[in-house]
């Protein structure tokens, strides 16, 4: 189902517009990793899936799984639920297991879709530290819907340098979260200069 959905998405995106991928060479090839991305609409989820060469297992808010049909579909395309208000140890176990087996986990560290800059949550950094895999920050700039894609024509995904989290201190986790935020903002500055 993941590959079928991705194929349909590729066809639709290429009919309506185009995708520009920057710094794809920065994606690790021989290990699992977390890819984090700005979350301003739903289209970046599809485009991120198209741009990353291996399947992404996305963390999604558990409320999306309340509808049985939607929940079934989300699980079929490798998404798994997380309780953002009351995260439990099991919320972390699943992504850590995936990452240690060489898979890719997608996390939107803002925790919600927004056009505003909001403080990043610490989940991505915590999971990276436990699984000993890097975080690759990504920035999406472009349309949020297929309708906008038809008008704007281009969507851009820019990847940043992998960040390796190594700490046993909760205080340092907060520092790494700030570093992730800074690296994401730097990607935005790079795009504005082009």
């Amino acid at each position: 189902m993941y590959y079928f959905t991705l194929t349909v998405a590729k066809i639709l995106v290429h009919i309506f517009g185009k995708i520009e991928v920057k710094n794809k060479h920065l994606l690790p090839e021989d290990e699992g990793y977390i890819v984090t991305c700005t979350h301003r609409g739903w289209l970046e989820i599809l485009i991120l899936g198209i741009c990353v060469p291996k399947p992404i297992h996305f963390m999604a808010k558990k409320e999306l799984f309340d509808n049985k049909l939607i929940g079934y579909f989300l699980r079929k395309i490798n998404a798994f639920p997380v309780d953002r208000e009351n995260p439990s140890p099991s919320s972390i176990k699943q992504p850590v297991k995936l990452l240690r087996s060489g898979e890719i986990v997608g996390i939107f560290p803002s925790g919600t879709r927004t056009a505003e800059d909001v403080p990043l949550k610490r989940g991505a950094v915590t999971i990276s530290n436990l699984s000993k895999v890097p975080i690759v920050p990504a920035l999406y700039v472009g349309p949020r819907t297929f309708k906008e894609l038809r008008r704007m024509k281009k969507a851009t995904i820019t990847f940043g340098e992998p960040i390796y989290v190594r700490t046993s201190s909760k205080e340092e986790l907060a520092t790494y979260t700030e570093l992730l935020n800074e690296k994401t903002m730097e990607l935005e500055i790079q795009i504005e200069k082009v």
Side-chain angles (χ1 to χ4, degrees):
M1 180 67 82
Y2 182 93
Y3 290 107
F4 173 77
T5 304
L6 204 59
T7 300
V8 172
K10 282 180 184 178
I11 292 168
L12 291 173
V13 168
H14 289 297
I15 287 172
F16 290 141
K18 69 175 186 175
I19 301 173
E20 181 181 13
V21 187
K22 296 182 178 181
N23 303 335
K24 194 171 183 177
H25 66 281
L26 295 176
L27 296 175
E29 294 182 4
D30 302 321
E31 62 181 329
Y33 58 90
I34 296 167
V35 60
T36 61
C37 191
T38 49
H39 196 27
R40 293 170 181 152
W42 60 266
L43 192 59
E44 70 261 32
I45 298 170
L46 291 177
I47 292 177
L48 195 61
I50 291 169
C51 296
V52 173
K54 289 173 64 178
I56 302 174
H57 300 262
F58 282 104
M59 293 180 74
K61 61 181 181 180
K62 71 178 183 66
E63 291 83 359
L64 294 173
F65 293 80
D66 290 344
N67 180 297
K68 288 185 179 180
L69 187 59
I70 293 172
Y72 174 80
F73 174 73
L74 289 173
R75 285 187 172 87
K76 285 295 182 181
I77 59 169
N78 294 345
F80 57 94
V82 62
D83 187 342
R84 295 182 306 177
E85 302 304 320
N86 301 294
S88 65
S90 62
S91 301
I92 292 177
K93 282 180 184 176
Q94 186 167 3
V96 167
K97 184 178 178 182
L98 287 165
L99 291 161
R100 286 178 176 169
S101 65
E103 299 293 335
I104 299 168
V105 171
I107 299 176
F108 298 102
S110 63
T112 187
R113 287 181 297 178
T114 178
E116 304 295 324
D117 290 326
V118 296
L120 300 185
K121 297 184 185 299
R122 210 165 58 184
V125 168
T126 301
I127 293 166
S128 171
N129 191 46
L130 289 170
S131 56
K132 306 299 183 224
V133 302
I135 301 172
V136 177
L139 179 75
Y140 173 82
V141 175
R144 299 177 203 178
T145 65
F146 279 117
K147 186 176 180 181
E148 287 185 11
L149 182 65
R150 291 179 70 179
R151 290 201 307 263
M152 298 172 71
K153 297 298 181 188
K154 188 171 81 170
T156 303
I157 291 276
T158 306
F159 295 107
E161 293 275 356
I163 299 168
Y164 288 83
V165 181
R166 299 288 185 269
T167 184
S168 57
S169 161
K170 286 186 177 180
E171 289 75 18
E172 285 187 14
L173 285 177
T175 302
Y176 277 110
T177 301
E178 185 55 39
L179 175 64
L180 175 59
N181 189 47
E182 288 172 10
K183 293 298 181 184
T184 304
M185 296 295 287
E186 284 174 16
L187 295 177
E188 197 149 8
I189 292 167
Q190 285 176 29
I191 287 177
E192 287 172 358
K193 286 181 178 177
V194 175

